[in-house]
Amino acid sequence: AYGDVIFAWDAQDANRGLSITRMPYNDTSDKDCPYFGPMPVDVMSSEEDVPPSKEPLTEEEVMATTVVSPEAASTSGSSGSGRNRKAKMIADIMPVPCYKPKPQILSLMLRGSRLTAVVSEQSSRFYSPYMAEAEASTLFDYQDLTIKVYDAYNVPLDGSPLLLLGEKKIKGNYHDARSLGNNAVIITTSHLNTDSFTNELYRWRPQYCGLNSTAYEALAKETALNEVESFLEKMVKDLELELDGNCDGIFQVASIQAGDSKEVYDSNLLDQFVRVNSFDMDMSTNQLTNEFTTSSSGTFAPGWPDSIYVSQGFAGVINVGHDYNPSTNRWEDSTFVSGFDISGSTPKPFAFARAPGRPLNKFATDLYEGHLRVATTTTDWFNTDS
């Protein structure tokens, strides 16, 4: 694979020709749509351009100050009014709403006559027409991921694309993928946006004005308790967990901390949601076309993704974050391991571990005789002796 293209040929005789499969792409440009629509508020310029007593702009005047293309923005020039200059400045920092980068093939897995590709596209939620949707969601997914399965047996050698047997979208940002026999395992990460829950808890919010610390804490606690159930319901809905009526597919947050521990990992146990997806690469063509099913499980995890380790029916997702050390009064590097049993058709989370320091590299993890070994290192920035 190269970028958004899969090249396939006869390995025994490359001169026979090749197959070229390009990922579908909506090749738009800034000429296909406006930068943005009419501004929702009155556009006021500097005092020398518009007197304070001037009436609000009419719709025609607003449209006159709205830059509808880069060409219009570049030709407005210094001869325009202060209003036009302000509109141009706003246009310059706005993303082109209908433009998206090309897809990118992140992983290829071959199983018999099936070729599986994991394809990423830039999430449209990060473009201006979708900002409201992105802010409302509890997820920060900057990628739209799609699993595509192709026929790798009947490969055309005349430049034609491979036959697409089936495809399915999955949640999260791509982390890594492995093939284990007939099972494909794809690990993704969804970063959690807790702003909709925490925004009303900050001390500077107007409802806390004039309250002392005790009254503020009481009101903030009451506010949090009133919002937590609806926030969690929305979070689970956004994660689209395949719960099948139970919670076997998600690791309990309470199991990650000791009962008497008040430590906070990297300031937030809900930094992200790690998801392990799997599916049978040998499923029938009819299933791929009509009922492409995947199984998934996951866990909340602190820190940020570092690497994964897959061996002997075990998948370990390695995150790097921080722990507060009260003896040194410092935040120190820590490694967090989320363990999944992938020996069956459905992955199951079953273990969580923490180690001081950060992994040496992606080869620093090993499973030996039922024990997971991780080689870590620590940087001591306060050591003045070496």
Side-chain angles (χ1 to χ4, degrees):
Y2 182 80
D4 63 331
V5 183
I6 297 176
F7 297 95
W9 61 88
D10 187 337
Q12 295 180 338
D13 186 2
N15 294 323
R16 293 181 56 194
L18 77 161
S19 168
I20 302 176
T21 307
R22 297 183 182 276
M23 299 299 106
Y25 173 60
N26 182 19
D27 191 8
T28 59
S29 68
D30 51 17
K31 296 181 181 180
D32 297 324
C33 60
Y35 250 51
F36 51 86
M39 296 179 185
V41 295
D42 295 336
V43 181
M44 301 302 293
S45 66
S46 59
E47 293 183 0
E48 61 270 20
D49 291 319
V50 180
S53 59
K54 182 177 176 64
E55 295 293 324
L57 297 178
T58 64
E59 181 177 353
E60 290 75 15
E61 290 175 313
V62 171
M63 290 298 295
T65 66
T66 300
V67 181
V68 297
S69 70
E71 289 78 7
S74 62
T75 57
S76 60
S78 59
S79 59
S81 68
R83 288 174 294 174
N84 284 331
R85 289 195 300 271
K86 182 173 182 180
K88 179 181 182 300
M89 291 174 62
I90 296 175
D92 286 341
I93 64 174
M94 292 287 288
V96 180
C98 64
Y99 170 75
K100 291 175 65 176
K102 287 185 176 182
Q104 185 177 8
I105 301 167
L106 301 179
S107 177
L108 290 178
M109 292 174 285
L110 183 63
R111 164 72 177 177
S113 62
R114 303 282 177 80
L115 178 66
T116 299
V118 181
V119 183
S120 166
E121 293 185 82
Q122 182 75 48
S123 175
S124 58
R125 291 182 293 275
F126 281 78
Y127 290 89
S128 55
Y130 304 90
M131 282 299 182
E133 177 187 344
E135 292 173 357
S137 175
T138 58
L139 301 181
F140 278 135
D141 287 346
Y142 56 86
Q143 293 177 331
D144 287 331
L145 297 179
T146 305
I147 304 171
K148 295 178 177 286
V149 181
Y150 295 93
D151 179 7
Y153 182 77
N154 300 300
V155 179
L157 300 177
D158 58 355
S160 302
L162 298 172
L163 175 63
L164 178 64
L165 301 177
E167 62 181 347
K168 181 176 181 179
K169 292 186 178 295
I170 58 175
K171 281 286 188 179
N173 308 304
Y174 177 81
H175 189 18
D176 214 329
R178 296 285 192 277
S179 59
L180 302 172
N182 61 308
N183 285 329
V185 178
I186 303 171
I187 297 176
T188 65
T189 299
S190 293
H191 300 280
L192 294 185
N193 172 21
T194 58
D195 288 349
S196 61
F197 176 72
T198 60
N199 272 343
E200 295 301 317
L201 306 181
Y202 290 113
R203 187 67 170 89
W204 48 263
R205 299 296 295 184
Q207 61 266 37
Y208 306 121
C209 181
L211 300 182
N212 58 28
S213 297
T214 302
Y216 157 67
E217 291 177 3
L219 181 56
K221 179 180 179 180
E222 180 183 355
T223 302
L225 291 175
N226 290 336
E227 297 294 331
V228 65
E229 183 175 354
S230 60
F231 174 79
L232 292 178
E233 288 178 352
K234 186 176 188 328
M235 182 173 63
V236 171
K237 181 180 178 181
D238 290 341
L239 289 169
E240 293 183 355
L241 296 175
E242 293 81 9
L243 296 179
D244 297 326
N246 57 62
C247 295
D248 289 345
I250 182 172
F251 203 87
Q252 294 183 7
V253 175
S255 301
I256 300 177
Q257 286 182 296
D260 59 349
S261 173
K262 296 183 179 179
E263 298 177 35
V264 179
Y265 304 141
D266 200 25
S267 301
N268 190 359
L269 267 175
L270 303 182
D271 273 338
Q272 57 188 288
F273 187 82
V274 178
R275 180 193 294 264
V276 177
N277 307 271
S278 70
F279 70 94
D280 183 3
M281 291 188 287
D282 288 342
M283 72 175 71
S284 68
T285 302
N286 181 62
Q287 286 178 301
L288 281 172
T289 304
N290 302 309
E291 300 178 12
F292 192 159
T293 59
T294 60
S295 300
S296 65
S297 64
T299 179
F300 294 99
W304 59 92
D306 180 79
S307 59
I308 72 166
Y309 177 81
V310 177
S311 178
Q312 307 171 44
F314 170 83
V317 182
I318 317 299
N319 280 20
V320 176
H322 297 92
D323 267 338
Y324 179 72
N325 187 339
S327 64
T328 61
N329 195 30
R330 299 175 188 168
W331 286 92
E332 300 176 351
D333 289 338
S334 287
T335 297
F336 305 96
V337 183
S338 303
F340 295 83
D341 179 2
I342 56 174
S343 59
S345 59
T346 301
K348 296 290 185 182
F350 74 97
F352 180 84
R354 177 178 46 143
R358 62 183 184 278
L360 289 172
N361 50 48
K362 65 179 182 180
F363 306 107
T365 307
D366 178 50
L367 184 63
Y368 179 72
E369 295 185 350
H371 295 83
L372 186 68
R373 305 181 296 187
V374 183
T376 64
T377 182
T378 301
T379 302
D380 188 357
W381 297 104
F382 297 92
N383 188 349
T384 58
D385 297 330
S386 61

